[in-house]
Amino acid sequence: MKEAYIYDAVRSPRGKGRKDGALHEVTSVRLSTEVLNAIKARNGLEGHAVEDVIWGNVTQVKEQGGCLARSVVIASELDESIPGLSINRFCASGMEAANLAANQVKAGAGEAYIAGGVEMMSRVPMGSDGAAIAVDPTLAMEHYFVPQGIAADLIATKYGFSREDVDALAVESQRRAKIAWDEGRFAKSIITVKDQNGLPILDHDEFMRPGTDMQSLGALKPSFREMGEVMPGFDKVALMKYPEFERINHVHHAGNSSGIVDGAAAILIGSREFGKAHGLKPRARIRATAKIGTEPTIMLTGPVPVTRKILGDSGMEIGDIDLFEVNEAFAAVVLRFLQAFDVDPAIVNVNGGAIAMGHPLGATGAMIIGTLLDEMERQDKETGLTTLCIASGMGVATIIERV
């Protein structure tokens, strides 16, 4: 079996996922082509240089519908002989694209792939695809479906995280993200998004609120209390599944949950032979990948069992990992990861995360692989693990090693 290597990783800045966000006028296809063209130019890819483009996006309707990946290839500067595959594993779509690419390289099904994803949340709103798990009553009622915010508050309730705990993690995410930007830690991977005239539209993560402190967060009302306790009363649904609790402690709000943003990211993955043929030096080896299903009501606990699975499959222990990226979908998700593995918080999400910079659903998984690799190089570390929680109860993880 061949080895799969990361040769390059690029991402767009994250734009606010609103109509006044800097990227709102940029289509999903256009933003995707920006990162694909950057990968092509930076690595001198000509002709049928890669086997496929595997592209994740979550809300696959309207401009993000059809086989978006093929549309993106056609619109980009890549050769038209390269096909395109769109995939959807909710929030882990970008990481699953990379994992799928790596495993195909390992199996000998092509020498190289471009993998990643996009989500233009200001243009194609989350939930506008009418997913069955949310709208089919025969499915939702039988399996005690609740929205993700209720699930996040259920995690906080089950594992004992207070409002102060989740707010403190959010403040730290903002602090770390500001330091990362001030010190130019993302410079290797960030591209400037430009308009059709070549003028810059956005060159930084627009969502950040570096002045966030405990006092400002303390003034925010819990975002999911009303839908949980009043209408439509999702707390009762969750408590049917978890009757050991009298009530759900609602602690999450906009300040300690991931931001709604626009963004795209791409990773160039290939074999050793691909690198030699194109004069490219690999930056890291993709050592292992894993995915798992979890209980769908609490839904967002996937990073814990999938990390156990990937470590077990690899013959590794948690102490073998130098750095972690755990997507900050909600603060309680990261706190649960820290609690489960007793990991030093200083090596988890070193440069902040989605609470500070935002979570462009289909792109985030690829983004945090790139962020992890950049930080491993900056700190001269050898091994990193990145993971995400996923809607409907799943988890995905990737372990990379520098070469």
Side-chain angles (χ1 to χ4, degrees), residues 324-344:
F324 298 85
E325 283 288 324
V326 181
N327 186 43
E328 295 176 351
F330 297 89
V333 173
V334 181
L335 290 173
R336 173 56 189 149
F337 185 90
L338 296 171
Q339 181 189 68
F341 296 106
D342 194 23
V343 176
D344 182 357

Side-chain angles (χ1 to χ4, degrees), residues 98-301:
N99 290 354
L100 179 58
N103 290 330
Q104 293 202 66
V105 169
K106 290 181 179 183
E111 296 296 331
Y113 289 76
I114 297 175
V118 67
E119 207 76 34
M120 299 302 293
M121 301 180 76
S122 71
R123 299 177 60 87
V124 186
M126 180 170 52
S128 57
D129 53 347
I133 190 65
V135 303
D136 183 343
T138 61
L139 176 64
M141 293 176 66
E142 182 176 350
H143 296 280
Y144 306 102
F145 170 81
V146 296
Q148 287 190 32
I150 303 294
D153 286 340
L154 181 57
I155 291 173
T157 302
K158 180 176 175 65
Y159 295 103
F161 306 132
S162 67
R163 171 68 180 263
E164 183 177 26
D165 293 333
V166 292
D167 282 357
L169 186 139
V171 170
E172 181 64 8
S173 180
Q174 295 282 355
R175 187 189 73 83
R176 293 183 182 189
K178 183 181 187 305
I179 292 172
W181 270 102
D182 288 347
E183 296 184 356
R185 296 183 187 179
F186 302 129
K188 182 182 292 185
S189 298
I190 288 281
I191 63 169
T192 298
V193 179
K194 299 179 180 179
D195 65 17
Q196 294 180 345
N197 297 315
L199 299 175
I201 298 174
L202 187 64
D203 63 0
H204 64 280
D205 288 324
E206 186 182 29
F207 184 79
M208 291 170 53
R209 293 153 292 178
T212 300
D213 56 23
M214 293 294 287
Q215 184 177 3
S216 62
L217 293 185
L220 299 177
K221 295 180 179 180
S223 296
F224 310 105
R225 175 177 290 164
E226 185 171 349
M227 72 166 63
E229 296 180 353
V230 187
M231 289 296 292
F234 282 112
D235 283 8
K236 293 181 180 179
V237 177
L239 294 175
M240 290 173 66
K241 184 72 174 181
Y242 291 88
E244 63 267 34
F245 303 112
E246 292 185 5
R247 57 183 296 274
I248 292 176
N249 184 22
H250 291 287
V251 297
H252 288 93
H253 50 72
N256 57 34
S257 307
S258 56
I260 294 174
V261 295
D262 300 327
I267 303 173
L268 177 60
I269 297 170
S271 65
R272 179 75 74 174
E273 292 75 15
F274 166 79
K276 290 179 180 179
H278 291 82
L280 301 174
K281 182 180 179 181
R283 295 172 62 190
R285 176 172 75 102
I286 298 180
R287 173 165 177 166
T289 68
K291 59 264 188 184
I292 202 166
T294 63
E295 196 281 298
T297 303
I298 203 166
M299 139 175 20
L300 305 175
T301 55

Side-chain angles (χ1 to χ4, degrees), residues 299-326:
M299 139 175 20
L300 305 175
T301 55
V304 173
V306 81
T307 295
R308 290 176 177 145
K309 183 178 189 298
I310 198 170
L311 292 173
D313 291 348
S314 305
M316 302 176 71
E317 297 179 355
I318 199 74
D320 296 327
I321 307 297
D322 297 316
L323 293 172
F324 298 85
E325 283 288 324
V326 181

